[in-house]
């Protein structure tokens, strides 16, 4: 289905805002850029900026997070026979965000900006954990458990915290794998 003119214009404005924010954040640093400067750079009013991005400047370089929740759920549902839920989630996360090694330069700059900026990392975390209930439902359905089961909810939440927890480490992929190893084996008991 083709998108209408209005939807295309909205998408173009949203993209112009995102591009302006990324450019200014890269040139001046996140904390030195105002919403007014971003609106001016994108040639829109401040009111238009907030109409497109009501959450403020943190949200300018992110989508709404819905797509990541869809592909995480798909990774669990569409995993190969015999592959565990955790392995499917590990493989899915390994190719995204701070864990992806082969990002194009523009996406790498965006990732590095997010990882190095506390406000952007926190906003990213908020987007990730917003999908906890949906991921818990998917994990529950795939494992024959109730979505309200605390262990299912905890697992979903732990997995969604991994990008924030491991993403800023010197070797994010190794840190992510260490967390998944712990989730798969459990905390060792001491003797």
């Amino acid at each position: 289905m083709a998108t209408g003119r209005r939807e295309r214009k909205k998408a173009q404005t949203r993209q112009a805002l995102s591009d302006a924010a990324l450019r200014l954040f890269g040139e001046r640093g996140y904390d030195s850029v105002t919403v007014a400067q971003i609106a001016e750079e994108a040639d829109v009013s401040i009111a238009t900026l907030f109409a497109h991005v009501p959450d403020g400047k943190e949200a300018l370089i992110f989508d709404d997070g819905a797509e990541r929740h869809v592909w995480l759920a798909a990774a669990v549902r569409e995993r190969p026979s015999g592959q565990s839920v955790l392995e499917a989630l590990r493989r899915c996360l390994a190719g995204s965000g701070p864990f992806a090694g082969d990002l194009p330069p523009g996406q790498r700059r965006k990732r590095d900006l997010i990882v190095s900026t506390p406000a952007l990392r926190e906003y990213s975390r908020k987007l990730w954990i917003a999908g906890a209930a949906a991921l818990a439902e998917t994990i529950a359905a795939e494992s024959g458990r109730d979505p309200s089961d605390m262990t299912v909810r905890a697992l979903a939440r732990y997995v969604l915290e991994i990008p924030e927890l491991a993403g800023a480490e010197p070797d994010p992929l190794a840190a992510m794998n260490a967390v998944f190893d712990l989730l798969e084996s459990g905390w060792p008991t001491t003797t």
Side-chain angles (χ1 to χ4, degrees), residues 81-92:
S81 178
Q83 186 180 68
S84 73
V85 166
L86 279 172
E87 184 59 27
L89 289 167
R90 180 195 300 245
R91 288 177 184 267
C92 184

Side-chain angles (χ1 to χ4, degrees), residues 51-168:
H52 286 274
V53 189
D55 284 351
K57 76 178 188 177
E58 294 89 354
L60 283 166
I61 63 170
F62 294 97
D63 57 24
D64 65 2
E67 186 175 306
R68 75 184 74 194
H69 305 149
V70 169
W71 55 258
L72 282 167
V76 172
R77 280 193 310 273
E78 298 166 9
R79 70 190 189 283
S81 178
Q83 186 180 68
S84 73
V85 166
L86 279 172
E87 184 59 27
L89 289 167
R90 180 195 300 245
R91 288 177 184 267
C92 184
L93 284 182
S96 69
F99 312 114
D102 59 348
L103 291 174
Q107 287 182 319
R108 191 175 324 114
R109 282 190 299 276
K110 181 177 175 180
R111 176 197 61 197
D112 294 346
L113 175 68
I114 293 166
V115 168
S116 66
T117 307
L120 295 176
R121 281 183 49 202
E122 182 55 34
Y123 191 82
S124 178
R125 179 183 175 271
K126 176 181 155 185
L127 293 175
W128 277 103
I129 63 174
L135 183 57
E137 287 179 23
T138 303
I139 292 170
E142 291 295 313
S143 61
R145 298 178 124 169
D146 189 297
S148 66
D149 179 332
M150 177 50 76
T151 60
V152 171
R153 291 175 25 226
L155 180 61
R157 181 64 177 265
Y158 295 158
V159 167
L160 295 174
E161 291 283 0
I162 292 172
E164 165 60 20
L165 184 63

